[in-house]
Amino acid sequence: MRPVTEKEIRASFVNCSKGEAKRMALPRDLTEQPWDDLDFLGWRDPTAPDRCCVVVERGGLLTGVALRSPARQPGRTRRGGGMCSLCLTTHPADGVALMAAPKAGRAGREGDSVGLYMCADLACSLYVRGRRLPDGGGRLEESLTVEEQAERTRANLLAFLDRLHA
């Protein structure tokens, strides 16, 4: 992914108002992101842990999506684990979360949303490339190359974004 600016990010959101996008907390370390290793930029809002965002480049344009996910509650852990629907990384307990996004336009304003199980830290790109290892989870051994896995992750995310306009 190419490095993006705060202005580009704020202008990219498709499922929230311009005012909401303007007030949204962005990653504090935006300039320090490992851009060459990212297929998309994802972050949790440090001021509201149930809010998350994803920004991806598609056809030369950025698309940003505001998401909601259950906030992690200190001292309370879920049993079991899960697999991210984007990158297919398995995680124990709270490593995977259901991320829900309001649909774009009128449907979203009326409460319609779509959801997907994703890595709770939104670091799919880093898991695919082996730059980050999941705590107690893992990556399945695959015959696909890292590049093919990264492309599948992007394709899965883009398919999710398509559902926001359906």
Side-chain angles (χ1 to χ4, degrees), residues 71-124:
R72 297 180 186 175
Q73 297 176 350
R76 186 171 179 205
T77 58
R78 279 190 1 219
R79 292 180 191 222
M83 179 184 284
C84 174
S85 299
L86 296 182
C87 67
L88 308 185
T89 299
T90 60
H91 295 272
D94 293 331
V96 172
L98 177 61
M99 305 284 185
K103 284 191 164 189
R106 183 179 193 158
R109 289 190 298 276
E110 292 177 357
D112 288 350
S113 63
V114 294
L116 190 71
Y117 284 95
M118 297 173 63
C119 293
D121 61 4
L122 301 167
C124 299

Side-chain angles (χ1 to χ4, degrees), residues 28-63:
R28 293 182 182 135
D29 59 350
L30 188 59
T31 59
E32 300 162 19
Q33 292 294 316
W35 296 107
D36 290 340
D37 290 329
L38 296 181
D39 302 299
F40 64 90
L41 177 64
W43 71 95
R44 282 187 171 276
D45 182 338
T47 62
D50 65 327
R51 283 193 302 227
C52 311
C53 300
V54 169
V55 175
V56 65
E57 193 168 8
R58 175 188 234 176
L61 300 173
L62 288 182
T63 300

Side-chain angles (χ1 to χ4, degrees), residues 125-133 139 146:
S125 300
L126 302 179
Y127 292 123
V128 166
R129 289 170 175 77
R131 304 276 192 262
R132 183 176 290 178
L133 299 174
R139 300 257 324 136
V146 170

